[in-house]
Amino acid sequence: MTKPFLTIFFVLCITLSNYVQEEIALQYYNQFSSNISYVTLGSLNISYERTISKYFTGGVGVTNYSNSHNDLNLEKHDGYSVYNVNLEINPFVRLYIHSTQKRSFFVEVLGSYNEAEVNTGRRISRSVNNLGYGVYTYEYGSQKIENIGLGTGVGYRFLLLKNRLVLEAQFGVRTNLKEIWIYDIGLVRTGIKAGYRF
């Protein structure tokens, strides 16, 4: 009677200890961070990340780009117009190679919703006046457009101060799907980030 009882007790202890170790390993589920590289350019970036499992996280990042950020021309458009992104929202999913609770290399897949202003520069436009004659004029146009897109990124996350302070180095790109498929490529979520986990 004692042997089966001890065997069952031993199996339960191992199972519970594994469960407790998993709970200790996943003690921080939330993370807020900001891109330090963007702050130096006057842009504002805030990201929230939620731990889903030992290797996966999901989250969302919001970026408000400044004029000095857009002046770097990090976005390639159709070659004829200037494409300045003002606001971008990036939902993302990450895969960590070593675990979400350790220093680790990660791969990221992201979506994008962005609002941009397209300046087409000087164009020649033809209109007809009230006498029926064609009149050619120069137009300086700009229009606001909204785009959706997909992208990917890679990076490395460093954990400091009992795994609460986060430093990340990341490189990411995305393309817009609504206006132009291949040629409209931009750098997003790229730079050095600092954050806090809780």
Side-chain angles (χ1 to χ4, degrees):
M1 182 69 180
T2 351
K3 280 189 176 182
F5 177 77
L6 287 176
T7 306
I8 293 171
F9 179 75
F10 182 69
V11 169
L12 285 174
C13 286
I14 289 175
T15 307
L16 288 174
S17 69
N18 286 340
Y19 178 76
V20 169
Q21 286 177 0
E22 182 70 12
E23 285 299 310
I24 291 172
L26 296 177
Q27 57 187 335
Y28 303 122
Y29 287 91
N30 302 297
Q31 173 183 318
F32 279 104
S33 60
S34 181
N35 196 322
I36 301 168
S37 308
Y38 286 8
V39 172
T40 60
L41 295 170
S43 299
L44 178 64
N45 168 263
I46 297 174
S47 292
Y48 169 74
E49 185 177 341
R50 172 78 178 171
T51 300
I52 299 169
S53 71
K54 190 174 180 182
Y55 297 101
F56 288 99
T57 63
V60 64
V62 179
T63 307
N64 185 10
Y65 294 101
S66 67
N67 290 334
S68 59
H69 194 119
N70 286 323
D71 288 343
L72 293 176
N73 293 326
L74 299 175
E75 184 121 9
K76 182 181 181 343
H77 198 51
D78 57 8
Y80 301 104
S81 54
V82 178
Y83 188 80
N84 291 328
V85 178
N86 298 323
L87 177 70
E88 185 161 16
I89 300 171
N90 299 114
F92 63 89
V93 177
R94 281 184 180 178
L95 166 66
Y96 286 89
I97 304 302
H98 294 110
S99 161
T100 59
Q101 305 297 308
K102 298 178 182 177
R103 297 178 184 183
S104 180
F105 176 79
F106 63 84
V107 178
E108 182 176 281
V109 176
L110 58 98
S112 172
Y113 166 79
N114 59 75
E115 296 176 353
E117 186 175 338
V118 179
N119 296 315
T120 54
R122 188 171 82 164
R123 294 183 305 197
I124 297 176
S125 173
R126 183 182 187 278
S127 61
V128 178
N129 64 12
N130 56 358
L131 299 174
Y133 297 111
V135 178
Y136 292 90
T137 57
Y138 288 116
E139 286 185 357
Y140 298 90
S142 74
Q143 62 176 348
K144 293 191 176 181
I145 62 171
E146 297 175 351
N147 265 317
I148 57 170
L150 292 173
T152 186
V154 294
Y156 195 89
R157 181 168 75 175
F158 300 90
L159 299 177
L160 309 166
L161 299 177
K162 297 183 180 178
N163 294 343
R164 285 196 174 265
L165 183 65
V166 178
L167 285 177
E168 291 179 2
Q170 183 177 1
F171 176 79
V173 293
R174 69 112 171 87
T175 183
N176 288 323
L177 303 177
K178 190 174 176 184
E179 295 290 327
I180 294 177
W181 167 243
I182 300 270
Y183 301 105
D184 185 10
I185 296 173
L187 290 177
V188 293
R189 299 178 56 77
T190 298
I192 305 296
K193 296 181 182 176
Y196 183 76
R197 305 173 75 213
F198 58 97

